[in-house]
Amino acid sequence: MFQSLFSPSVQHAIDLIGIFVFAISGALLAVRKNFDVFGIAVLAEVTALGGGLFRDLIIGAVPPAAFTDLGYFLTPLLAALLVFFLHPEVERLESWVNVFDAAGLGLFCVAGTTKAYEYGLGLTASATLGLATAVGGGVLRDVLANEVPSLLRWDRDLYAVPAMVGATMVAVCIRCDMLNPVTSALAVITAFVLRLLAMRYHWRAPRAWNRRSTVVEVREGAQP
Amino acid sequence: MFQSLFSPSVQHAIDLIGIFVFAISGALLAVRKNFDVFGIAVLAEVTALGGGLFRDLIIGAVPPAAFTDLGYFLTPLLAALLVFFLHPEVERLESWVNVFDAAGLGLFCVAGTTKAYEYGLGLTASATLGLATAVGGGVLRDVLANEVPSLLRWDRDLYAVPAMVGATMVAVCIRCDMLNPVTSALAVITAFVLRLLAMRYHWRAPRAWNRRSTVVEVREGAQP
Amino acid sequence: MFQSLFSPSVQHAIDLIGIFVFAISGALLAVRKNFDVFGIAVLAEVTALGGGLFRDLIIGAVPPAAFTDLGYFLTPLLAALLVFFLHPEVERLESWVNVFDAAGLGLFCVAGTTKAYEYGLGLTASATLGLATAVGGGVLRDVLANEVPSLLRWDRDLYAVPAMVGATMVAVCIRCDMLNPVTSALAVITAFVLRLLAMRYHWRAPRAWNRRSTVVEVREGAQP
């Protein structure tokens, strides 16, 4: 329906890069949680492919791309192997991993929004699914690792907001009939740069106003 | 297939009320867990729409209603905003929130069962999906918040049983060819009243018999 | 498409046995976690049917078998009742439960791979879904119980690897046009025996190499 942002083969290569860096973040968490090599592979796969899988189930694109494209499936395994053997080196490169992760965030929120719209969803729903494509894998990763999703925690730099901005830009462009490779690239870059700035300046989202009254409840919640 | 319980616009308004109160419960948990404004919105959406989303994926109704009806999507955001700014006031109204939540429970288990049957599922499966529609959002909420689902805990007042009764009543009515607005309303009210009574008298479900032998294992399980 | 491993009625009986033993493991965990009778039933259902449900959603087989076959739905309830009344006795039989669980693992990974291939997925994707069919229910069980999935933990005997071997054998047989009741049975038995050996000799999968550098991070991760 839309002219793709890049030629299919270039787009595919970009997808694989995004999948690879997401998988690295999953594999690193698995190492920190002391999982075995199989757990590392599972967390790499889930982090890299979970968001797209969710989107594809919602829009009815079954079987999902994660199960029809062998490259999508093998790339996280490669990332898992790399982390398995070289994780101290990979962790030393963590700031670079974060930069690539930001790029993946930008690419996935734009690609997710576009794909959802192509399957007939409305603009708001498409942007929401674009956001879910970008952040869903990380949420699944944290749920499987039995941690509070870092996406939801107030003490983490903004992660979802850059993806929301990128997805919204795509939706607005579709609405104005202006979605083309240039505007798509602009949306990717905006999300990417916003995420980099959020990491650089530790931007955080506010918590609920006037929290004094709930201090006691937080303590209760901490030991259920 | 069935005559709806109410006219479509009234039914839609009722759905939105149910979604709103479920979203409030999700947003309140997010505040207690110290999540930021984005986490509050996510937990509100997931709590309000998760049960119906699961049902729609199972019966093959894609894209799910949660992604095709803008009102379904925006209502939880409204609830999240309200809790974000006014959560101490909302918490003071918690007993009222619980009453509305009980109403949502009744409405969703009946609507879920009916929709599943309309999509061709058997009576037992339809009732099960009606139950899942009513309680699924709360389970997802607790999983994302990294807590043991309150649905499963023995130290909480009965929540699933009222929904099971309501869903079963609908299935029996379908079987006897007696499903109409009156019997549907009766099922909603039964589930609603049962939940109110369970809260009022702290009805609990029994745990496994003869638990002495497992005390040691519980302790082990507590520090994995 | 394929000649089934056994006649349909025998296959169905085998499925029910696999579902039953998986349900027992879910119900036992629920008892250890101190859940009420409803929580026991939910965890039994989820453990027994979760893997197949995931597979069916991915391949687009909706509504999933778990919701169309009444026997699939009722069997876990039977297991839950049994554990509810007799859990000390069931736990004393745990080594037998483990043997049956290993049999279920073998059967499900083979049946899952075959079904996925029949729905048109590639060989790698089919084997992956076969693995997911066998282990997915256990992962869902642990997520709902708010525990780190035992599948991912390094300190547990190999569980996924036997299923991977069985699923891979089926995929190789399909590739070589050699899938028939005999080779299917061979794959089931291989996975079954491997799992028994893994339990007998406490086979474990390795963790990431050179873990010294992450010791500190593990501690940090333990108190998020």
Side-chain angles (χ1 to χ4, degrees):
Chain A
M1 187 186 269
F2 294 110
Q3 195 184 351
S4 192
L5 178 48
F6 303 104
S7 75
S9 61
V10 175
Q11 178 68 46
H12 195 248
I14 290 174
D15 279 357
L16 292 183
I17 293 173
I19 285 172
F20 184 79
V21 291
F22 278 10
I24 292 279
S25 94
L28 283 176
L29 179 63
V31 171
R32 283 172 202 157
K33 296 286 287 189
N34 216 1
F35 291 168
D36 64 22
V37 61
F38 180 77
I40 296 171
V42 167
L43 231 55
E45 291 281 355
V46 162
T47 310
L49 303 176
L53 198 65
F54 175 75
R55 177 203 58 208
D56 288 350
L57 286 179
I58 295 292
I59 62 179
V62 290
F67 283 92
T68 54
D69 186 314
L70 203 56
Y72 286 4
F73 177 76
L74 296 178
T75 302
L77 295 186
L78 193 72
L81 272 182
L82 197 79
V83 169
F84 180 73
F85 287 111
L86 299 173
H87 68 98
E89 287 74 16
V90 174
E91 293 208 343
R92 230 169 289 138
L93 295 172
E94 194 158 19
S95 56
W96 282 105
V97 172
N98 281 335
V99 171
F100 279 108
D101 185 87
L105 190 75
L107 287 163
F108 279 25
C109 72
V110 170
T113 307
T114 308
K115 183 167 182 184
Y117 188 75
E118 282 171 357
Y119 272 77
L121 270 73
L123 289 174
T124 310
S126 296
T128 307
L129 276 179
L131 171 62
T133 307
V135 306
V139 171
L140 275 175
R141 173 197 65 203
D142 295 339
V143 166
L144 281 185
N146 201 18
E147 303 212 324
V148 173
S150 70
L151 185 77
L152 305 176
R153 297 175 60 167
W154 75 275
D155 55 350
R156 299 293 158 97
D157 304 331
L158 287 187
Y159 192 86
V161 172
M164 279 168 71
V165 171
T168 307
M169 281 178 67
V170 173
V172 169
C173 286
I174 292 173
R175 180 61 183 270
C176 304
D177 209 9
M178 277 173 54
L179 191 73
N180 55 47
V182 176
T183 53
S184 289
L186 211 67
V188 171
I189 291 168
T190 305
F192 173 58
V193 170
L194 278 178
R195 171 61 184 156
L196 290 185
L197 290 171
M199 286 193 291
R200 176 74 185 75
Y201 297 106
H202 297 300
W203 288 345
R204 307 246 157 108
R207 282 174 289 169
W209 286 18
N210 187 15
R211 298 197 64 272
R212 260 164 311 150
S213 64
T214 55
V215 168
V216 179
E217 287 152 61
V218 172
R219 287 229 185 88
E220 281 178 9
Q223 37 174 258
Chain B
M1 188 185 269
F2 293 110
Q3 196 184 350
S4 193
L5 177 49
F6 303 104
S7 75
S9 60
V10 174
Q11 177 68 46
H12 194 248
I14 290 175
D15 279 356
L16 292 183
I17 293 174
I19 285 172
F20 184 79
V21 291
F22 277 11
I24 292 279
S25 93
L28 284 176
L29 179 62
V31 171
R32 283 172 201 159
K33 296 284 288 189
N34 216 0
F35 292 168
D36 64 21
V37 61
F38 180 78
I40 297 171
V42 168
L43 231 55
E45 291 280 356
V46 163
T47 311
L49 304 176
L53 198 65
F54 176 75
R55 177 202 59 208
D56 288 350
L57 286 180
I58 295 292
I59 62 178
V62 290
F67 283 91
T68 54
D69 186 314
L70 204 56
Y72 285 5
F73 177 76
L74 296 179
T75 302
L77 294 185
L78 193 71
L81 272 181
L82 198 79
V83 169
F84 180 73
F85 287 111
L86 299 173
H87 67 98
E89 287 75 15
V90 174
E91 293 208 343
R92 230 169 290 137
L93 296 171
E94 194 158 19
S95 56
W96 282 105
V97 171
N98 281 335
V99 171
F100 280 108
D101 185 86
L105 190 75
L107 287 162
F108 280 26
C109 72
V110 170
T113 306
T114 308
K115 183 168 182 183
Y117 187 75
E118 282 171 357
Y119 272 77
L121 270 74
L123 289 174
T124 311
S126 296
T128 307
L129 277 179
L131 171 62
T133 306
V135 306
V139 171
L140 275 176
R141 175 197 64 204
D142 295 340
V143 166
L144 281 186
N146 200 19
E147 303 212 325
V148 173
S150 70
L151 185 77
L152 306 175
R153 297 175 60 168
W154 74 276
D155 55 349
R156 299 294 158 94
D157 304 331
L158 287 187
Y159 193 85
V161 172
M164 279 168 70
V165 171
T168 306
M169 281 177 69
V170 173
V172 169
C173 287
I174 293 174
R175 180 62 182 269
C176 304
D177 209 8
M178 277 172 53
L179 191 73
N180 55 46
V182 175
T183 53
S184 289
L186 211 67
V188 171
I189 292 169
T190 305
F192 173 58
V193 171
L194 278 177
R195 170 63 183 154
L196 290 185
L197 290 172
M199 286 192 290
R200 177 74 185 74
Y201 297 106
H202 298 298
W203 288 345
R204 305 245 158 108
R207 282 174 289 169
W209 285 19
N210 186 15
R211 297 199 63 273
R212 261 165 309 149
S213 64
T214 55
V215 169
V216 179
E217 287 152 61
V218 171
R219 287 229 185 88
E220 281 177 8
Q223 38 173 260
Chain C
M1 187 184 270
F2 293 109
Q3 196 184 349
S4 192
L5 178 49
F6 303 103
S7 74
S9 61
V10 174
Q11 178 67 46
H12 195 249
I14 290 173
D15 279 357
L16 292 184
I17 293 173
I19 286 172
F20 183 80
V21 291
F22 278 9
I24 292 278
S25 93
L28 284 176
L29 179 63
V31 171
R32 285 172 200 158
K33 297 285 287 189
N34 216 359
F35 292 167
D36 64 22
V37 61
F38 180 77
I40 296 171
V42 167
L43 230 55
E45 291 280 357
V46 162
T47 310
L49 304 175
L53 198 65
F54 175 75
R55 177 203 59 208
D56 288 350
L57 286 179
I58 295 292
I59 62 179
V62 289
F67 283 91
T68 54
D69 186 313
L70 203 57
Y72 286 5
F73 177 77
L74 295 179
T75 302
L77 295 185
L78 192 71
L81 272 181
L82 197 79
V83 169
F84 180 74
F85 287 111
L86 299 173
H87 68 98
E89 287 74 16
V90 174
E91 294 207 341
R92 231 169 289 137
L93 296 172
E94 195 158 20
S95 56
W96 282 104
V97 172
N98 282 336
V99 171
F100 280 109
D101 185 86
L105 190 74
L107 288 162
F108 280 25
C109 72
V110 171
T113 306
T114 309
K115 183 167 181 183
Y117 187 76
E118 281 171 358
Y119 273 76
L121 271 73
L123 289 174
T124 312
S126 296
T128 307
L129 277 179
L131 171 62
T133 306
V135 306
V139 171
L140 275 176
R141 172 198 64 203
D142 295 339
V143 166
L144 282 186
N146 200 19
E147 302 211 325
V148 173
S150 70
L151 185 76
L152 306 176
R153 297 176 60 168
W154 74 275
D155 55 349
R156 298 293 159 96
D157 304 330
L158 287 187
Y159 192 86
V161 172
M164 278 168 71
V165 171
T168 307
M169 281 177 67
V170 173
V172 169
C173 286
I174 293 174
R175 180 62 182 268
C176 304
D177 209 8
M178 277 172 53
L179 191 74
N180 55 47
V182 176
T183 54
S184 289
L186 212 66
V188 170
I189 291 168
T190 306
F192 173 59
V193 171
L194 279 178
R195 171 63 183 155
L196 290 185
L197 290 172
M199 286 192 290
R200 177 76 184 73
Y201 296 106
H202 297 299
W203 289 345
R204 306 246 157 107
R207 282 173 290 169
W209 286 18
N210 186 14
R211 297 200 64 273
R212 262 164 309 150
S213 65
T214 54
V215 169
V216 179
E217 287 153 61
V218 172
R219 287 229 185 87
E220 281 178 8
Q223 38 175 258

